Amino acid sequence: MKNKNGLFITIEGVEGVGKSTNIETIKQFLADQGIDFIVTREPGGTIWSEQIRDLLLKVNDDEDLTGLSELLLIFAARAQHLDRLIRPSLAAGKWVICDRFTDATYAYQGAGRGLDRSKIAELETLVQEELRPDLTIILDLDPLTGLQRAQNRAALDRFEREQLEFFEKVRQAYLDIASAEQERCIVVDASQDLEAVSSELLIILEEKLSLLQQDD
């Protein structure tokens, strides 16, 4: 759905693709253009949603979290995030830059965990209604390289402890989504050096801004 006011941009990718670093490039571009924006993340973004994030990422060797429980927690956090931050920001004319959104749910819980996509789609409709991102940038990287990067950052969270096969499924799901929704999704090769990735991001954003200005 085209948002009449602010623009909704999501950044996706497996662990270690450099989302946080490249979001800084996006922030600088928007600031230089004088565009009012917020940066947020999923799960998270609000007080309650961040608490749910903590539950989802926490390593607990005493009890596994079931795939369905994980899915419901993610959408609970998303419902709060949408109502308290994303929708009001878009309505106020702000651009919303979100580190992961529902594509991550299809990739991680759908492909990675093997949950039925139709269940995810039902929850997507219930929680989001017609709201979808205007632009999704998928930072693509070989999962092995991404995991090696993640291991160098800090202690691994519950997701980062998954096996390589899990992340290979996640990556393929992202590529499948990009192939199916080419008008919304753009894939960027995150194995390039930072300068090359930043240059691609700037081109993408400049083209998007140019199209919006033409529409005005």
Side-chain angles (χ1 to χ4, degrees), residues 104-115:
T105 311
Y106 281 106
Y108 280 78
Q109 284 68 49
R113 300 283 188 230
L115 295 180

Side-chain angles (χ1 to χ4, degrees), residues 41-45 49-50 52-53 56-57 74 77 81 99-100:
R41 66 179 182 178
E42 288 229 337
S49 300
E50 287 290 337
I52 295 173
R53 178 189 181 88
L56 286 163
L57 298 187
I74 286 169
H81 193 197
D99 182 342
R100 293 206 174 109

Side-chain angles (χ1 to χ4, degrees), residues 6-65:
L7 203 74
F8 188 19
I9 299 177
T10 55
I11 314 298
E12 299 281 359
V14 298
E15 269 59 27
V17 296
K19 288 185 286 84
S20 298
T21 302
N22 286 294
I23 283 173
E24 290 300 316
T25 298
I26 296 172
K27 287 168 61 176
Q28 188 60 56
F29 171 84
L30 297 179
D32 290 344
Q33 298 295 323
I35 294 171
D36 195 7
F37 69 93
I38 64 162
V39 175
T40 188
R41 66 179 182 178
E42 288 229 337
T46 73
I47 293 172
W48 279 104
S49 300
E50 287 290 337
Q51 291 179 3
I52 295 173
R53 178 189 181 88
D54 290 342
L55 287 174
L56 286 163
L57 298 187
K58 183 179 179 180
V59 175
N60 188 334
D61 294 327
D62 295 326
E63 181 181 356
D64 291 335
L65 186 65

Side-chain angles (χ1 to χ4, degrees), residues 183-214:
E183 287 190 7
R184 173 174 69 89
C185 300
I186 298 176
V187 177
V188 174
D189 180 3
S191 69
Q192 305 174 91
D193 60 46
L194 180 58
E195 184 177 353
V197 175
S198 296
S199 295
E200 282 198 40
L201 290 176
L202 292 175
I203 291 170
I204 292 167
L205 293 169
E206 286 167 356
E207 289 179 350
K208 190 68 177 178
L209 185 58
S210 177
L211 288 172
L212 288 173
Q213 291 170 341
Q214 289 175 19

Side-chain angles (χ1 to χ4, degrees), residues 15-16 142-153:
E15 269 59 27
D142 171 60
L144 180 59
T145 302
L147 287 175
Q148 290 170 342
R149 290 181 182 178
Q151 288 168 355
N152 293 329
R153 289 190 313 226

Side-chain angles (χ1 to χ4, degrees), residues 153-166:
R153 289 190 313 226
L156 300 180
D157 63 35
R158 192 172 65 86
F159 284 98
E160 291 168 342
R161 290 190 174 197
E162 291 293 341
Q163 298 299 309
L164 179 61
E165 181 183 5
F166 174 87

